[in-house]
Amino acid sequence: PSLVGSEMCKETDIKLYPKEPSVYRNYGYALLEVKDTANAIINYRKALAIDPDDYRALSFFERIKKK
């Protein structure tokens, strides 16, 4: 799997919605799909820095930590 399309969407989304945690959360999920756990964690942390109560980001982050 490739993240080329996801990477371009992320860049556009960050420009349009820099304070939206879902941008980082969704990209983190895409990174998990291609087994890039380290960068997924970085993006989940960015989402949580914007919204510490983002239950989806918290859920994914907790699941990663259990592995």
Side-chain angles (χ1 to χ4, degrees):
S2 172
L3 284 177
V4 174
S6 294
E7 185 68 35
M8 289 188 310
C9 287
K10 178 190 172 210
E11 295 301 320
T12 300
D13 287 348
I14 288 172
K15 287 177 186 171
L16 294 173
Y17 311 103
K19 298 290 184 186
E20 181 58 46
S22 65
V23 171
Y24 300 98
R25 183 184 64 235
N26 293 340
Y27 190 58
Y29 179 76
L31 289 164
L32 279 181
E33 289 294 306
V34 295
K35 311 288 189 240
D36 188 351
T37 305
N39 283 311
I41 289 170
I42 290 168
N43 280 274
Y44 287 131
R45 285 185 175 151
K46 287 179 182 179
L48 291 169
I50 295 167
D51 180 3
D53 297 321
D54 184 328
Y55 73 93
R56 290 182 184 150
L58 286 167
S59 174
F60 285 120
F61 194 65
E62 288 300 315
R63 211 169 22 170
I64 291 170
K65 287 183 358 182
K66 289 180 182 178
K67 289 184 177 183

